[in-house]
Amino acid sequence: MAWRFGEFELDPETRELRCAGRPVPLTPKALRLLELLLRRQPAAVSRQEIRDALWPRLYVADSNLPSLVWELRSALGDRPRGRILRTVRGFGYAFSGEVKSRAERSTRADGGSEGGLRLVWGDRSFALQGGENRLGRGSDVEVLIDAASVSRHHALIVVAGSTAVLEDLGSKNGTRLNGEPVGTGRELRDGDEIRLGTVQLLFRSLPRDAATATARG
């Protein structure tokens, strides 16, 4: 599924922005910025967090981000300026347009594992699939956690039937399970707390019916 606002639609799977069904040309960085702001809307995202997400571990000129915002505003026809992308003075940017429908790329609805295995992050719920589920802020992970303290490929959860095993992927800020550092091969139980850097997740193992109700609620 995709985010829809006005005549625009952003599909995070195909990495494509469309307006009235027609492709809108955008650079990969501008697309990534739009996706980040949509995922966090209506909350404001700091300039530092945006830089960490778009240019991890790289020094970039201060003009790079405003140029990217200008590119995005031009593509979206953001006039008067700030109608869609709001500048938060002294902090960063926020998506302020009306989003008609929204779906997290990493949030799987009813097609999860047999045991209804999920990760909960605030008001977001991520269904875990059978096999490998990578956690991080990279564009190619199965569970996308957009936070500065999270590595691109931070941790891994391997699901086999109703069993899930957590391991760290050599992350910069570490992975903890119920407060204890994780290396490899830690089996998860319902209610376990997982911490990726400063981000806290809750692991839930629910019957299929309960998991479906949770996803729809």
Side-chain angles (χ1 to χ4, degrees), residues 1-3 68 79 83 106-107 141 155 166 181:
M1 295 180 66
W3 286 280
L68 210 56
R79 301 184 184 89
R83 179 176 59 90
S106 302
T107 301
V141 299
L166 171 70

Side-chain angles (χ1 to χ4, degrees), residues 26-97:
L26 274 181
T27 62
K29 293 292 187 187
L31 273 171
R32 182 73 181 90
L33 173 60
L34 178 58
E35 182 181 353
L36 174 60
L37 295 176
L38 281 167
R39 287 189 185 280
R40 296 289 299 277
Q41 63 87 27
V45 184
S46 71
R47 291 184 179 87
Q48 187 59 55
E49 184 174 345
I50 293 172
R51 292 190 189 100
D52 289 343
L54 270 59
W55 297 282
R57 296 181 296 277
L58 293 177
Y59 173 79
V60 295
D62 290 340
S63 61
N64 282 30
L65 182 53
S67 296
L68 210 56
V69 171
W70 179 86
E71 177 190 349
L72 199 49
R73 281 177 168 153
S74 297
L76 298 177
D78 191 14
R79 301 184 184 89
R81 192 177 72 172
R83 179 176 59 90
I84 300 176
L85 299 184
R86 177 170 61 93
T87 299
V88 182
R89 187 176 299 275
F91 183 76
Y93 300 93
F95 188 91
S96 57

